[in-house]
Amino acid sequence: MKRLYPLLDLNSNEGVQVSGIWGRGSKGRSAFAKHVYKNISPDFEAHCFLEDSEGNCSVQLIDGDGTYNVSGIDHFIKEVKLGECGLSYAVVSIMGPQSSGKSTLLNNLFGTNFMEMDAFKGRSQTTKGIWLARCAGIEPCTLVMDLEGTDGRERGEDDTAFEKQSALFALAISDIVLINMWCHDIGREQAANKPLLKTVFQVMMRLFSPRKTTMLFVIRDKTRTPLENLEPVLREDIQKIWDSVPKPEAHKETPMSDFFNVEVVALSSYEEKEEQFKEQVASLRQRFMHSIAPGGLAGDRRGVIPASGFAFSADQIWRVIKENKDLDLPAHKVMVATVRCEEISNEKFAHFITNEDWRKLDEEVQAGPVSSFGKRLTSILGSCLSEYDGEATFFDEGVRSSKRHQLEEKLLQLVNPAFQDVLGHIRWGMLEKFKASFDKALEIGEGFSSASTTWLKACMDQFDEECAGAIIEQANWDTTKVREKLVRDIEAHVSSVRTSKLSELTTQYETKLHTALSEPVEALLEGANDQTWMTVKKLHGRETETAVSGFSSALAAFDIEEETREKMVKSLQEYSRGVIESKAKEEAGRVLMRMKDRFATIFSNDGDSMPRVWTGNEDLRAITKAARSASLKLLSVMAVMRLGDETDNIEKTLSVALLDSTTSKKSITASDPLASSTWDDIPSSRTLITPVHCKSIWRQFKTETEYTVTQAISAQAWLLYSQEANKRGSNWLPPPWAIFALIILGFNEFMTLLRNPLYLGVLFVGFLLLKALWTQLDIPGEFRNGALPGIISISAKFVPTVMNLVKNLAAQGEAPPTANPENRRPSNNTSSNASSSDNPTEHKSASKTD
């Protein structure tokens, strides 16, 4: 039969046909292919990987120097897709002397492509180290290991170390161990199989919890002796070897059946009876079908490593064997499970991070609230964990569960910020909804307490509902803290609004109180009398009671504590009193002005509130005293506040100290009742004006009202003087004695006038001029305001008046005579002027009119 073997270039993972290999059977084909491949691909030594035209591939798992081929086994597992097998795979290994036909048996039994010895070149070492291949056409997936032969010439006497290491390695990872031996060696004491069996049994003792392995003895080149006769001898030899092998204390009495299932099969010679050999091999091949099923060759296996962890497990087992340590298979199984589950966990975590569904969901969460967050994230996490479970399902349950829990925790830690963001969106949305609904409820007139309670419950119910939609099945996340924060935020907003509303309500009632008290109290204090403070007290009580009643009713809707409510009511009452105190202090600061106004009102008006007309008969002293007494009454009323039932003698004290005329007559050693900063029996909180300040105010008051009194006295004196002058002016004739004196003393002047009539005309003209000036200047009217003002006024008008008279006379002189014959007579003009001068009243009226 002719076959073409294409080889694989592992660098490119592409099949490359490098040569056609022809020959009978399979002898030498693999060796030649390897030689050709090494010349073509420099990476062959790194991978030591071969594949034939039927898809059968093999890899050198451990080279002759004991180096584990990590890259080669990884590539091999990917090619044969071992990781998908789970626990449905079996491992078969073969041991035996060098050049005993192990590779040939495996190639014929399992369809592998292990290198075989070329008999024409002589007997020599063909297989170096340990090679691994997958069987073709056998289910379940079966891996075959071809071990380097024992007792080889190439290694010499130092082969025992590698022999024991490879034997222990094969026992640790194999389910079925084929022991290849020649038929003619059975029954011999020093035959080649005994050192091999000793080696197998000795290394088995280094496994703390050895797996039960099927040991299939393959008797090669079977002779005429029936197998029924050969098998008992072989089993007896095996038992002797088992008994002779030193055992640890724990296994001194342990039978070999606890460690091995021993099976024996015989095959004819491959070279002499090839067809018969192939028939027997085909029959034996059927025993490897479904070998891991109960009753199969590997049906009793324990502690199987999942296929995805095979490469790592084999690597770690070889490392322990190389370090010459005892191999604890249960611990190794846990270690492999730990590493592989950790790798799977990390892989799934990395895949989750790059998962498009998760990234999209995370972006949506960053942008705003997501209604289906919990359902979507649960599905994404479930898919990731399901993938982990699918790949890690065959590993140690404790390790698998632990790593799954760790993966779940890492995933939850990764998605938790998004979950917190979702809760934050929900909390913020509920807070905004509460604010809007609560404010709207207050605007339409709903009670504060009922509105806050109703909408708090509604928002918290909706919050719980939306949080339930955000919870994922894989996590037991608690939303209590976020819920409590939302409650605190809502309560803070309610408190803020309550504070604002209470402040507005308090301001509203304070404004009402201020309006109701301020101006009335000011008016009452401005007209202070004995009943002023009693009236203020009644006004204060009435308005305060009304305000407190309305304020208390309004506070009932805010659901506040009784103690707080009482404090606010008390504060309103204090504000009411404070308005009166403030207004009283303000009026006390204007008391001097109020006193002067009252003094001026009483002093300048009569009992009918009409302006007083001074006739000269008024009792100015009594009027002044009455006005000052009224002003002092105002001062006494404003001195202290009297909102209670207290009584005092401030008015009497002020009257005695400031109005009593006998005060000035007292001894200078007598104490002054106003020389103090406090009133007797009156606390400073009620004092508006201190005694010493009252005395100062009174002194200033008297000083500033003194001018008014002086003016009144002056007016009264001027009136009396005017009345006396009028009396004297009405008697125009001089006394008789004056007339008699004028006649006697003026006799000479009178005779002179009679002798010279011209003097009489000059005197007459002078009289007329003086009369005109008297009338024009209105001398009596100018002197009504006093002598000095009259003189100044006349001096200012004298020259203009004289000039005016001269101009008038000149104008009359230049005027032409009229046709009236009476105007031609000078005597008539003169008499007209005279008559005008004789009637001063009419002239004065005309002048004023002009």
Side-chain angles (χ1 to χ4, degrees):
M1 181 179 180
K2 300 178 181 180
R3 292 183 181 178
L4 180 65
Y5 286 82
L7 305 181
L8 284 184
D9 182 359
L10 297 184
N11 288 332
S12 62
N13 291 332
E14 297 179 355
V16 179
Q17 181 175 331
V18 299
S19 177
I21 304 176
W22 302 88
R24 182 175 180 274
S26 60
K27 291 182 178 181
R29 294 193 307 247
S30 298
F32 180 73
K34 177 178 179 181
H35 174 73
V36 173
Y37 195 87
K38 287 175 63 177
N39 293 332
I40 295 176
S41 175
D43 292 334
F44 177 79
E45 290 295 339
H47 296 287
C48 296
F49 182 87
L50 294 174
E51 183 175 358
D52 61 20
S53 60
E54 297 178 357
N56 298 324
C57 56
S58 60
V59 64
Q60 189 177 28
L61 183 62
I62 300 172
D63 65 13
D65 297 328
T67 303
Y68 188 85
N69 186 9
V70 177
S71 59
I73 188 62
D74 289 341
H75 184 75
F76 172 82
I77 289 176
K78 291 179 181 178
E79 287 295 323
V80 301
K81 299 180 180 179
L82 181 62
E84 301 176 1
C85 297
L87 297 179
S88 298
Y89 77 101
V91 180
V92 179
S93 60
I94 188 167
M95 301 180 187
Q98 180 176 301
S99 302
S100 61
K102 299 188 299 299
S103 300
T104 302
L105 173 62
L106 294 178
N107 289 339
N108 283 273
L109 180 61
F110 298 113
T112 56
N113 59 352
F114 295 122
M115 291 182 293
E116 301 176 9
M117 183 188 70
D118 188 354
F120 294 100
K121 294 182 179 181
R123 303 178 68 84
S124 62
Q125 186 182 49
T126 304
T127 303
K128 293 184 178 181
I130 301 175
W131 282 74
L132 179 67
R134 177 177 178 175
C135 301
I138 295 181
E139 292 295 334
C141 175
T142 302
L143 302 180
V144 180
M145 288 196 306
D146 187 9
L147 274 66
E148 179 181 320
T150 60
D151 196 20
R153 176 177 60 83
E154 286 77 7
R155 290 190 180 269
E157 296 180 357
D158 297 330
D159 67 336
T160 56
F162 185 81
E163 178 183 325
K164 291 181 179 180
Q165 291 174 351
S166 59
L168 179 58
F169 179 76
L171 288 173
I173 66 174
S174 300
D175 301 301
I176 304 170
V177 177
L178 302 180
I179 299 179
N180 200 45
M181 59 187 305
W182 298 110
C183 180
H184 55 262
D185 287 335
I186 297 176
R188 293 180 180 179
E189 186 64 26
Q190 302 297 327
N193 64 325
K194 288 189 177 180
L196 177 61
L197 291 177
K198 287 183 180 180
T199 300
V200 170
F201 293 153
Q202 286 176 356
V203 298
M204 181 61 74
M205 297 298 103
R206 293 178 57 187
L207 301 178
F208 287 154
S209 298
R211 52 193 297 172
K212 193 168 185 180
T213 306
T214 297
M215 194 160 52
L216 178 60
F217 288 86
V218 180
I219 302 175
R220 303 293 298 276
D221 294 350
K222 176 178 170 298
T223 61
R224 294 181 179 180
T225 305
L227 179 62
E228 292 79 6
N229 296 333
L230 295 175
E231 184 175 353
V233 177
L234 180 59
R235 289 184 179 273
E236 183 179 353
D237 291 342
I238 294 172
Q239 187 64 45
K240 288 181 180 179
I241 296 172
W242 171 260
D243 294 338
S244 63
V245 171
K247 304 178 186 66
E249 291 294 330
H251 298 293
K252 281 189 176 296
E253 304 298 331
T254 303
M256 184 179 64
S257 59
D258 290 351
F259 290 85
F260 298 102
N261 290 323
V262 178
E263 298 286 342
V264 181
V265 64
L267 299 177
S268 300
S269 173
Y270 173 72
E271 294 182 354
E272 297 176 0
K273 302 177 181 180
E274 182 176 355
E275 296 300 327
Q276 188 177 357
F277 173 82
K278 289 183 178 179
E279 291 177 0
Q280 294 171 348
V281 167
S283 176
L284 179 61
R285 177 184 175 87
Q286 295 301 316
R287 298 188 64 181
F288 287 91
M289 300 296 291
H290 308 292
S291 59
I292 62 173
L297 285 177
D300 295 334
R301 64 178 185 167
R302 297 187 297 266
V304 182
I305 299 296
S308 61
F310 175 80
F312 176 77
S313 174
D315 185 14
Q316 295 301 316
I317 288 177
W318 183 248
R319 288 176 185 271
V320 174
I321 293 173
K322 286 284 289 182
E323 294 172 1
N324 198 25
K325 297 180 180 178
D326 290 338
L327 184 60
D328 188 351
L329 289 182
H332 173 76
K333 177 183 176 182
V334 172
M335 184 269 294
V336 173
T338 301
V339 174
R340 280 297 299 143
C341 289
E342 181 73 22
E343 291 177 352
I344 297 172
S345 174
N346 293 337
E347 179 183 352
K348 298 310 171 186
F349 183 76
H351 288 172
F352 181 86
I353 293 177
T354 58
N355 185 281
E356 288 297 328
D357 294 336
W358 157 243
R359 296 178 66 177
K360 182 179 178 181
L361 179 61
D362 189 35
E363 290 175 358
E364 292 179 9
V365 170
Q366 297 299 324
V370 179
S371 58
S372 58
F373 176 82
K375 183 177 180 180
R376 291 170 61 183
L377 185 57
T378 297
S379 176
I380 299 171
L381 288 173
S383 298
C384 180
L385 293 174
S386 297
E387 292 176 2
Y388 170 85
D389 293 338
E391 294 188 22
T393 185
F394 301 112
F395 289 100
D396 181 80
E397 182 178 359
V399 175
R400 181 179 74 246
S401 299
S402 175
K403 294 302 178 181
R404 187 185 194 278
H405 181 67
Q406 292 179 11
L407 173 61
E408 190 173 10
E409 286 185 347
K410 288 172 64 178
L411 292 174
L412 294 179
Q413 186 177 3
L414 175 66
V415 302
N416 185 260
F419 174 73
Q420 296 299 329
D421 289 341
V422 171
L423 294 185
H425 292 315
I426 297 174
R427 180 184 64 82
W428 181 255
M430 289 301 99
L431 179 60
E432 291 300 313
K433 179 180 179 181
F434 176 84
K435 289 180 180 179
S437 303
F438 181 59
D439 294 344
K440 185 176 180 180
L442 295 180
E443 289 177 0
I444 63 177
E446 188 175 349
F448 187 92
S449 178
S450 62
S452 62
T453 302
T454 300
W455 285 108
L456 174 62
K457 184 178 184 304
C459 289
M460 294 313 300
D461 290 344
Q462 185 175 351
F463 174 82
D464 292 337
E465 181 180 350
E466 294 189 12
C467 283
I471 295 296
I472 60 176
E473 296 179 1
Q474 292 83 358
N476 188 23
W477 284 332
D478 187 11
T479 61
T480 303
K481 291 184 178 180
V482 181
R483 192 180 195 279
E484 292 175 352
K485 190 175 189 317
L486 176 59
V487 172
R488 290 196 301 269
D489 291 341
I490 292 178
E491 290 178 349
H493 178 70
V494 171
S495 178
S496 175
V497 175
R498 180 188 290 113
T499 301
S500 176
K501 294 294 183 181
L502 290 177
S503 178
E504 292 177 3
L505 185 65
T506 303
T507 302
Q508 176 185 351
Y509 278 91
E510 286 179 352
T511 302
K512 289 182 178 180
L513 273 176
H514 190 275
T515 303
L517 294 176
S518 181
E519 293 184 0
V521 169
E522 181 178 353
L524 289 172
L525 294 179
E526 184 178 355
N529 54 47
D530 292 335
Q531 299 299 319
T532 296
W533 284 109
M534 182 61 68
T535 306
V536 170
K537 178 181 176 182
K538 291 180 180 179
L539 175 66
H540 170 250
R542 182 178 67 253
E543 297 298 335
T544 302
E545 182 178 357
T546 302
V548 166
S549 176
F551 188 62
S552 298
S553 299
L555 289 179
F558 285 89
D559 191 22
I560 57 177
E561 297 179 356
E562 183 66 22
E563 182 180 356
T564 304
R565 189 188 68 81
E566 292 177 355
K567 287 182 179 180
M568 295 183 69
V569 171
K570 185 177 179 181
S571 176
L572 184 64
Q573 292 173 341
E574 292 176 352
Y575 177 81
S576 174
R577 184 181 180 90
V579 170
I580 295 179
E581 291 179 355
S582 176
K583 185 54 66 174
K585 291 178 180 179
E586 183 180 335
E587 288 299 314
R590 295 198 291 259
V591 68
L592 178 59
M593 182 183 68
R594 300 297 189 195
M595 290 171 64
K596 291 191 295 181
D597 292 343
R598 178 169 291 192
F599 177 84
T601 300
I602 297 176
F603 190 80
S604 302
N605 296 278
D606 56 16
D608 297 328
S609 299
M610 296 297 292
R612 193 183 298 276
V613 179
W614 299 105
T615 62
N617 298 323
E618 294 83 1
D619 188 355
L620 190 59
R621 183 182 297 274
I623 293 172
T624 302
K625 185 174 181 180
R628 288 181 175 174
S629 297
S631 300
L632 188 64
K633 165 64 85 174
L634 176 62
L635 180 62
S636 65
V637 171
M638 295 301 304
V640 296
M641 289 186 296
R642 301 174 179 88
L643 294 178
D645 298 329
E646 305 89 351
T647 58
D648 56 70
N649 57 352
I650 293 177
E651 183 179 1
K652 181 179 179 182
T653 302
L654 291 176
S655 178
V656 171
L658 302 177
L659 283 182
D660 194 353
S661 59
T662 61
T663 303
S664 60
K665 299 177 182 180
K666 293 181 179 180
S667 173
I668 59 175
T669 60
S671 60
D672 185 355
L674 300 182
S676 174
S677 60
T678 58
W679 299 100
D680 294 339
D681 301 328
I682 295 177
S684 58
S685 59
R686 289 177 51 208
T687 301
L688 297 175
I689 307 174
T690 62
V692 66
H693 194 198
C694 285
K695 186 175 182 180
S696 175
I697 291 173
W698 184 256
R699 186 183 301 112
Q700 187 176 355
F701 166 76
K702 287 185 66 178
T703 301
E704 295 182 7
T705 57
E706 193 71 31
Y707 177 75
T708 303
V709 177
T710 303
Q711 286 291 96
I713 295 174
S714 299
Q716 193 176 39
W718 175 258
L719 183 59
L720 292 175
Y721 174 76
S722 299
Q723 290 176 354
E724 186 67 25
N726 289 335
K727 288 180 181 180
R728 288 196 300 268
S730 63
N731 188 9
W732 58 275
L733 292 176
W737 61 268
I739 297 173
F740 181 75
L742 285 174
I743 293 173
I744 295 175
L745 296 175
F747 179 78
N748 292 333
E749 287 77 7
F750 180 73
M751 292 305 294
T752 303
L753 289 174
L754 288 178
R755 294 188 187 100
N756 297 295
L758 184 60
Y759 287 156
L760 185 60
V762 172
L763 290 175
F764 181 73
V765 172
F767 172 76
L768 291 177
L769 290 175
L770 290 175
K771 185 69 174 179
L773 288 174
W774 182 276
T775 303
Q776 291 291 328
L777 294 176
D778 190 18
I779 292 176
E782 296 295 343
F783 279 95
R784 286 195 192 101
N785 296 326
L788 183 59
I791 293 172
I792 295 173
S793 178
I794 292 171
S795 299
K797 296 192 298 181
F798 180 76
V799 175
T801 303
V802 172
M803 297 297 293
N804 190 25
L805 287 176
V806 172
K807 288 180 181 180
N808 290 335
L809 290 175
Q812 290 179 3
E814 293 177 358
T818 61
N820 189 356
E822 295 180 357
N823 291 336
R824 297 191 187 106
R825 291 178 296 181
S827 59
N828 291 336
N829 188 19
T830 304
S831 63
S832 177
N833 289 335
S835 63
S836 177
S837 299
D838 291 337
N839 193 357
T841 305
E842 294 178 3
H843 181 74
K844 180 179 178 181
S845 299
S847 301
K848 289 184 177 180
T849 304
D850 294 336

